[in-house]
Coordinates of all heavy atoms in Angstrom, one line a residue:
L12 N -4.5 -24.4 -24.3 CA -5.7 -23.5 -24.3 C -5.8 -23.0 -22.9 O -6.9 -22.2 -22.6 CB -6.9 -24.3 -24.7 CG -6.9 -24.6 -26.2 CD1 -8.2 -25.4 -26.7 CD2 -6.7 -23.4 -27.1
P14 N -5.2 -20.2 -20.4 CA -4.7 -18.9 -20.7 C -3.6 -18.6 -19.7 O -3.8 -17.9 -18.7 CB -6.0 -18.0 -20.4 CG -6.8 -18.8 -19.4 CD -6.6 -20.3 -19.8
L17 N -2.6 -15.2 -18.0 CA -3.4 -14.7 -16.8 C -2.7 -15.0 -15.4 O -3.1 -14.4 -14.5 CB -4.8 -15.3 -16.8 CG -5.6 -15.2 -18.0 CD1 -7.0 -15.8 -17.8 CD2 -5.8 -13.7 -18.4
S28 N -8.5 -10.6 -21.5 CA -9.7 -11.5 -21.9 C -10.0 -12.3 -20.8 O -10.7 -13.4 -21.0 CB -9.4 -12.3 -23.1 OG -9.3 -11.6 -24.3
A29 N -9.7 -11.9 -19.5 CA -9.9 -12.8 -18.4 C -11.5 -13.1 -18.2 O -11.8 -14.2 -17.8 CB -9.4 -12.1 -17.1
E30 N -12.3 -12.2 -18.6 CA -13.7 -12.5 -18.4 C -14.3 -13.4 -19.5 O -15.5 -13.8 -19.4 CB -14.5 -11.0 -18.5 CG -14.4 -10.3 -19.8 CD -13.0 -9.5 -19.9 OE1 -12.4 -9.4 -18.9 OE2 -12.7 -9.3 -21.1
R31 N -13.5 -13.8 -20.3 CA -14.0 -14.7 -21.5 C -13.5 -16.1 -21.3 O -13.9 -16.9 -22.1 CB -13.5 -14.1 -22.8 CG -14.0 -12.7 -23.2 CD -13.3 -12.3 -24.5 NE -13.8 -13.1 -25.6 CZ -13.1 -13.3 -26.8 NH1 -11.9 -12.7 -26.8 NH2 -13.6 -14.0 -27.7
I32 N -12.8 -16.5 -20.3 CA -12.2 -17.8 -20.2 C -13.2 -18.9 -19.9 O -12.8 -20.1 -20.1 CB -11.0 -17.9 -19.3 CG1 -11.5 -17.7 -17.8 CG2 -10.0 -16.8 -19.7 CD1 -10.5 -17.9 -16.7
F33 N -14.4 -18.6 -19.6 CA -15.4 -19.6 -19.5 C -16.4 -19.6 -20.6 O -17.6 -20.1 -20.5 CB -16.1 -19.5 -18.2 CG -15.2 -19.6 -17.0 CD1 -14.9 -18.6 -16.1 CD2 -14.5 -20.8 -16.7 CE1 -14.0 -18.7 -15.1 CE2 -13.7 -21.0 -15.6 CZ -13.3 -19.9 -14.9
S34 N -16.1 -18.9 -21.8 CA -17.0 -18.7 -22.9 C -16.5 -19.4 -24.1 O -15.3 -19.7 -24.3 CB -17.2 -17.3 -23.1 OG -16.0 -16.7 -23.6
A35 N -17.5 -19.8 -25.0 CA -17.0 -20.6 -26.1 C -16.2 -19.8 -27.2 O -15.3 -20.4 -27.7 CB -18.3 -21.2 -26.8
D36 N -16.7 -18.6 -27.5 CA -16.1 -17.8 -28.5 C -14.5 -17.6 -28.3 O -13.7 -17.6 -29.2 CB -16.9 -16.5 -28.7 CG -16.8 -15.6 -27.5 OD1 -16.5 -16.0 -26.4 OD2 -16.9 -14.4 -27.7
F37 N -14.2 -17.5 -27.0 CA -12.7 -17.3 -26.7 C -11.9 -18.4 -27.3 O -10.8 -18.2 -27.9 CB -12.5 -17.1 -25.2 CG -11.1 -17.1 -24.7 CD1 -10.5 -16.0 -24.9 CD2 -10.6 -18.3 -24.3 CE1 -9.1 -15.9 -24.4 CE2 -9.2 -18.2 -23.7 CZ -8.5 -17.1 -23.8
Y38 N -12.3 -19.7 -27.1 CA -11.6 -20.9 -27.4 C -11.7 -21.1 -29.0 O -10.8 -21.6 -29.6 CB -12.0 -22.1 -26.6 CG -11.6 -21.9 -25.2 CD1 -12.7 -21.5 -24.2 CD2 -10.4 -22.1 -24.7 CE1 -12.4 -21.3 -22.9 CE2 -10.1 -21.9 -23.4 CZ -11.0 -21.5 -22.5 OH -10.8 -21.2 -21.2
K55 N -5.7 -29.0 -23.9 CA -6.3 -28.4 -22.7 C -6.0 -29.2 -21.4 O -6.4 -30.4 -21.4 CB -7.9 -28.4 -22.9 CG -8.6 -27.7 -21.6 CD -8.2 -26.3 -21.6 CE -9.2 -25.4 -20.7 NZ -9.0 -25.8 -19.2
L61 N -10.9 -27.3 -7.2 CA -10.8 -25.9 -7.1 C -10.2 -25.5 -5.8 O -10.5 -26.1 -4.9 CB -12.1 -25.2 -7.2 CG -12.1 -23.7 -7.4 CD1 -11.6 -23.2 -8.7 CD2 -13.6 -23.2 -7.1
V66 N -9.0 -18.3 -5.3 CA -9.9 -17.8 -6.4 C -10.2 -16.3 -6.4 O -10.5 -15.7 -7.4 CB -11.3 -18.5 -6.4 CG1 -12.2 -18.0 -5.4 CG2 -11.9 -18.5 -7.8
S69 N -6.9 -15.6 -8.8 CA -6.5 -16.3 -9.9 C -7.6 -17.2 -10.2 O -8.6 -17.5 -9.4 CB -5.2 -17.1 -9.7 OG -5.5 -18.2 -8.9
P70 N -7.6 -17.9 -11.5 CA -8.6 -18.9 -11.8 C -8.6 -20.1 -10.8 O -9.5 -20.8 -10.8 CB -8.3 -19.2 -13.2 CG -7.6 -18.1 -13.8 CD -6.8 -17.4 -12.6
A71 N -7.5 -20.3 -10.1 CA -7.4 -21.3 -9.1 C -7.6 -22.7 -9.6 O -8.4 -23.5 -8.9 CB -8.3 -20.9 -7.9
M72 N -7.2 -23.0 -10.8 CA -7.4 -24.4 -11.3 C -8.7 -24.6 -11.9 O -9.0 -25.7 -12.3 CB -7.0 -25.5 -10.4 CG -5.6 -25.5 -9.7 SD -4.3 -25.3 -10.8 CE -4.4 -27.0 -11.5
G73 N -9.6 -23.6 -11.9 CA -10.9 -23.8 -12.5 C -10.8 -23.7 -14.0 O -10.0 -23.3 -14.6
G74 N -11.8 -24.4 -14.6 CA -11.8 -24.5 -16.2 C -12.9 -25.4 -16.7 O -13.5 -26.2 -16.0
L75 N -13.1 -25.3 -18.0 CA -14.1 -25.9 -18.6 C -13.7 -27.5 -18.8 O -12.5 -27.7 -18.9 CB -14.4 -25.4 -20.1 CG -14.9 -23.9 -20.1 CD1 -14.9 -23.5 -21.6 CD2 -16.3 -23.8 -19.6
D76 N -14.6 -28.2 -18.9 CA -14.3 -29.7 -19.2 C -13.6 -29.8 -20.6 O -14.2 -29.5 -21.5 CB -15.6 -30.5 -19.2 CG -15.4 -32.1 -19.4 OD1 -15.2 -32.3 -20.7 OD2 -15.2 -32.8 -18.5
L80 N -15.2 -29.3 -24.4 CA -14.6 -28.2 -25.1 C -14.1 -28.7 -26.5 O -14.4 -28.1 -27.6 CB -13.5 -27.5 -24.3 CG -12.8 -26.4 -25.0 CD1 -13.7 -25.3 -25.3 CD2 -11.6 -26.0 -24.1
M83 N -16.7 -29.4 -29.1 CA -17.2 -28.2 -29.7 C -16.3 -27.6 -30.7 O -16.6 -27.2 -31.8 CB -17.5 -27.1 -28.6 CG -18.0 -25.8 -29.1 SD -17.8 -24.4 -28.0 CE -16.0 -24.2 -28.0

Side-chain angles (χ1 to χ4, degrees):
L12 290 183
L17 303 185
S28 294
E30 61 281 343
R31 300 176 64 207
I32 65 170
F33 300 114
S34 64
D36 62 337
F37 174 78
Y38 296 98
K55 183 67 170 68
L61 182 74
V66 78
S69 79
M72 306 303 292
L75 299 172
D76 180 278
L80 175 63
M83 179 200 69

